[in-house]
Amino acid sequence: AQKITQTQPGMFVQEKEAVTLDCTYDTSDQSYGLFWYKQPSSGEMIFLIYQGSYDEQNATEGRYSLNFQKARKSANLVISASQLGDSAMYFCAMREGYNFNKFYFGSGTKLNVKP
Amino acid sequence: ETGVTQTPRHLVMGMTNKKSLKCEQHLGHNAMYWYKQSAKKPLELMFVYSLEERVENNSVPSRFSPECPNSSHLFLHLHTLQPEDSALYLCASSQGGGSGGRSYEQYFGPGTRLTVT
């Protein structure tokens, strides 16, 4: 079974609107971490936001927030007030346990922001 | 230099060539990673090094040979590659090991776009 599932290959959003990118995960560990990365066309993966499995509050970083629903094993990324520069691939990832070498990525969602 | 750097950014090589990819991190991390990113595939973790010791090797063919001489540098030596090895190769670093409570987020370099002809 896949550890990380992103079911939206591509998404469109109007500039200044909010958008939610879906991510579900699969692990039997109680301790894990969830991450979102942005990959512009230049190729570099940029770390956006982190949520620990024991964190009670949803993580927020500026215009990014992570909608963490533990029972559903989902960790959706919400981008508020989309900007043209947000057009990129977005990857959800999971660190299993406290194993820094057990890191899994989803297949990504291509976000296009329309002016 | 800051963050994670990778050289070269682009590489074209024949199947009989030998080349090396270089990665350097300036973040004081002690774990480094090589990933392969092919079109329409999730990132594939190839190798993980922690404190210069290899801790993960995900069934990568022997034509890829990693080297980690110190915690700041990571190399990927390439020889007799196949056309299907053409991909973006990403290097990353993070804090590693220790007790729980850390996020261990990985920071990536810009990648090397490899084309095997």
Side-chain angles (χ1 to χ4, degrees):
Chain A
Q2 285 191 17
K3 293 284 188 182
I4 295 287
T5 302
Q6 294 180 254
T7 56
Q8 306 154 313
M11 291 274 289
F12 284 91
V13 65
Q14 201 68 38
E15 193 179 8
K16 300 180 185 176
E17 292 187 349
V19 62
T20 298
L21 306 183
D22 295 341
C23 172
T24 56
Y25 59 92
D26 180 30
T27 181
S28 55
D29 282 6
Q30 295 301 308
S31 303
Y32 51 89
L34 298 158
F35 306 78
W36 277 93
Y37 285 84
K38 172 184 178 181
Q39 188 179 39
S41 56
S42 58
E44 183 173 355
M45 298 279 282
I46 302 166
F47 166 65
L48 295 178
I49 195 166
Y50 167 77
Q51 179 86 41
S53 60
Y54 294 119
D55 295 341
E56 294 183 352
Q57 305 265 7
N58 285 341
T60 60
E61 289 288 346
R63 293 186 298 110
Y64 304 109
S65 60
L66 199 152
N67 185 358
F68 181 44
Q69 298 192 38
K70 198 168 184 175
R72 294 184 179 182
K73 293 191 173 179
S74 76
N76 298 338
L77 177 71
V78 180
I79 306 174
S80 62
S82 298
Q83 301 173 357
L84 296 178
D86 293 335
S87 294
M89 284 290 290
Y90 288 82
F91 293 92
C92 180
M94 176 178 67
R95 184 210 70 239
E96 213 163 27
Y98 289 112
N99 301 309
F100 61 93
N101 56 327
K102 297 293 185 187
F103 220 84
Y104 305 96
F105 281 83
S107 54
T109 295
K110 172 77 170 147
L111 178 66
N112 284 293
V113 180
K114 297 187 290 185
Chain B
E1 291 274 19
T2 58
V4 181
T5 58
Q6 288 186 245
T7 54
R9 294 294 308 276
H10 299 274
L11 179 62
V12 179
M13 60 186 287
M15 289 191 283
T16 58
N17 290 160
K18 288 184 180 182
K19 296 285 184 185
S20 296
L21 309 184
K22 179 183 175 184
C23 175
E24 186 172 358
Q25 61 96 0
H26 308 268
L27 299 169
H29 291 159
N30 56 15
M32 296 188 77
Y33 311 75
W34 278 118
Y35 285 89
K36 176 183 179 182
Q37 187 177 29
S38 306
K40 300 182 182 178
K41 276 187 167 184
L43 263 74
E44 300 171 61
L45 180 60
M46 301 174 72
F47 301 104
V48 181
Y49 276 82
S50 173
L51 299 172
E52 299 107 64
E53 301 240 348
R54 191 190 307 180
V55 298
E56 193 79 19
N57 174 358
N58 285 333
S59 304
V60 179
S62 59
R63 56 186 184 269
F64 294 92
S65 173
E67 179 190 359
C68 187
N70 55 61
S71 59
S72 298
H73 293 86
L74 185 65
F75 294 89
L76 188 63
H77 303 300
L78 316 170
H79 64 97
T80 59
L81 294 190
Q82 304 298 311
E84 61 265 28
D85 296 323
S86 298
L88 180 67
Y89 288 84
L90 290 162
C91 173
S93 71
S94 76
Q95 284 303 116
S99 61
R102 293 190 175 194
S103 57
Y104 301 128
E105 69 267 18
Q106 296 181 12
Y107 291 87
F108 286 78
T112 295
R113 176 74 60 186
L114 174 67
T115 303
V116 181
T117 61

